[in-house]
Amino acid sequence: MPVDTMVNILELAGLYVFATSGALMAIHKRFDVVGIVVLALLTALGGGVLRDLVIGDTPPAAFTNVNYLVIPMVAAVVTFFAHPLVGRLAFPVLVFDAAGLGLFCVTGTLKALDFGLGSLQAVLLGVTTAVGGGVLRDITARETPALVQMDTDLYSIPAAAGAAVVVAAHHTDLPMPVVATCAALFVFMFRIVAMVRHWTAPHAWEPKGRTG
Amino acid sequence: MPVDTMVNILELAGLYVFATSGALMAIHKRFDVVGIVVLALLTALGGGVLRDLVIGDTPPAAFTNVNYLVIPMVAAVVTFFAHPLVGRLAFPVLVFDAAGLGLFCVTGTLKALDFGLGSLQAVLLGVTTAVGGGVLRDITARETPALVQMDTDLYSIPAAAGAAVVVAAHHTDLPMPVVATCAALFVFMFRIVAMVRHWTAPHAWEPKGRTG
Amino acid sequence: MPVDTMVNILELAGLYVFATSGALMAIHKRFDVVGIVVLALLTALGGGVLRDLVIGDTPPAAFTNVNYLVIPMVAAVVTFFAHPLVGRLAFPVLVFDAAGLGLFCVTGTLKALDFGLGSLQAVLLGVTTAVGGGVLRDITARETPALVQMDTDLYSIPAAAGAAVVVAAHHTDLPMPVVATCAALFVFMFRIVAMVRHWTAPHAWEPKGRTG
């Protein structure tokens, strides 16, 4: 029970920061209050809704637990008024975002496994849960999705690594709450280090003697 | 029965004008006939398809009632030939679009309630039904969605207000056909007035002394 | 049985070339390896996933047969290293892409008919299966979808013609394996000729005396 409660609190915290990142982008693009609410909801809920549509769990969790709608709306309202302050809190926001990344890739992977999907599929859906909302945010705001851009700090690769850990442990007798916690922490740390050290993913291999 | 027939006729009229707005954007962007048909279909049907996928009503209504496909295709063909005339009819098109907005947000909200979704969720899906197609049209045409842009006349806020009226009445004994009609008319009038008076939604609050 | 095997091999070949086209676009846009994998998966699987969500066959085939994930990932890795060579193979890639177009529009149409959808709906879903992935690729890469652009060689129209042939034959006693093979070949030839002769779809009709 305390584990469930902790996961729940972390999940709502993750939704809050994901929604904040959507609201901040909307304000940066000078969208109006409708745009702020839409991007907050899309960013926070998009990944989970995509996952639930794919596994066939309709209505998606975002439409059955009202907290999942209320929390992003609260984040949108707070950001609407407090964005100059929130903007100055860029690093704390990124830290919470890393926590959300770790949490949602783990819970998404576990849900996909629960619904009987295979290992590779579960990893893909775990990553989708964690990064799908950001992709929808970027597409709606007419930005090139950060997911695919060159020279952004690693984001989906920590999530994929964490999802792979969960899937591997699923085939063993290890206690899942412990594994899930460790995997989420691992993703969190991996992402934080990637940000601090500016680790980026390679771009396409070039034969020697060619210029980039 | 006459109410059903009236709703049906209004619904097809709404699909027709939504499809026309998609076809006009395609022509404006100099897309070919495939682009005209694709944007007409996306604009007219996208919102309802998104709603039906979320509530789990598959195949979506757009794929079970053939009129839902035929009407937007007719609109695409008519616009293909008559676009110089249709372009001059900008205001009538906007008036019918406002009627579609009112109708689809009400029918979308009612369908979500029918499928057992909560109040806030039903409002969100009602608005999605009414505005989702336009967002898909804008994204496909590489326009910033009118939904989120600053300084566009209110569009989704009238829809949200109408959806909220329907949800509130759902918890009372008021006769739903009357409520639905009034809510759709209210959305229609609200949108028309917002267009005429150029009402816009606020953008993010700025502390005093800062420039926009 | 040999027919099934042949369809399976062609399907995997089609996924491979669709994924390659996604990976090549990602490299052209200078996306990193994550972007290459994401665009490869989206391009190869997006159309089929959209079809399966609409007909309510969840999880979509792309999430139940692991080959559907592995093949595009292999294509992404090969393109990552071999893209200068693959780029020089532009015409062979387009030929395989035409084969994928023919195959996927036929299999998509047949699946929609199997799930009881109507004729026009089945044609639309057949075309969606074949072209949906490319649209998602273009939207994610912030390109105007080739589907709607003017003056691109015919792509969706051959697919629509082939899907219509399948639907027409579905109402007769003709043996479906023969019909499906002929329809796929017809789409393939139609697309190849359209490329070679640079056939394009018309853009909106203009009254005489006006300039384009």
Side-chain angles (χ1 to χ4, degrees), chain A residues 27 30-36 38 41 53 58-60 62-66 69-70 73 80-81 83-84 139-140 142, chain B residues 53-54 56 117 120-121 124-125 139 142-145 147-150 156-157 201-207 210 212:
Chain A
I27 292 169
R30 307 194 56 70
F31 294 162
D32 67 19
V33 65
V34 173
I36 294 169
V38 167
L41 287 170
L53 292 181
T58 54
F63 288 86
T64 53
N65 179 340
V66 77
L69 292 184
V70 169
M73 285 177 176
F80 181 85
F81 289 105
H83 63 99
I139 288 175
T140 307
R142 284 189 73 203
Chain B
L53 292 182
V54 164
L117 272 80
L120 191 56
Q121 291 90 337
L124 186 59
L125 284 179
I139 287 175
R142 283 189 74 200
E143 295 286 317
T144 300
L147 175 66
V148 299
Q149 258 178 337
M150 197 175 61
S156 54
I157 285 178
H203 52 100
W205 182 83
E206 295 286 345
R210 287 175 52 125

Side-chain angles (χ1 to χ4, degrees), chain C residues 26-59:
Chain C
I27 292 168
H28 177 70
K29 307 273 293 188
R30 306 195 55 70
F31 293 162
D32 67 20
V33 66
V34 173
I36 293 169
V37 171
V38 167
L39 284 203
L41 287 170
L42 264 183
T43 312
L45 306 176
V49 169
L50 287 177
R51 175 204 60 210
D52 290 349
L53 292 181
V54 164
I55 63 179
D57 182 32
T58 54

Side-chain angles (χ1 to χ4, degrees), chain A residues 53-54 56 117 120-121 124-125 139 142-145 147-150 156-157 201-207 210 212, chain C residues 27 30-36 38 41 53 58-60 63-66 69-70 73 80-81 83-84 139-140 142:
Chain A
L53 292 181
V54 164
L117 272 80
L120 192 55
Q121 292 89 339
L124 187 59
L125 284 179
I139 288 175
R142 284 189 73 203
E143 295 286 316
T144 300
L147 176 67
V148 300
Q149 259 177 337
M150 196 175 64
S156 56
I157 286 179
H203 52 101
W205 181 83
E206 295 287 345
R210 286 175 54 125
Chain C
I27 292 168
R30 306 195 55 70
F31 293 162
D32 67 20
V33 66
V34 173
I36 293 169
V38 167
L41 287 170
L53 292 181
T58 54
F63 288 86
T64 53
N65 180 341
V66 76
L69 292 185
V70 169
M73 284 178 178
F80 181 86
F81 289 105
H83 61 101
I139 287 175
T140 306
R142 285 189 71 200

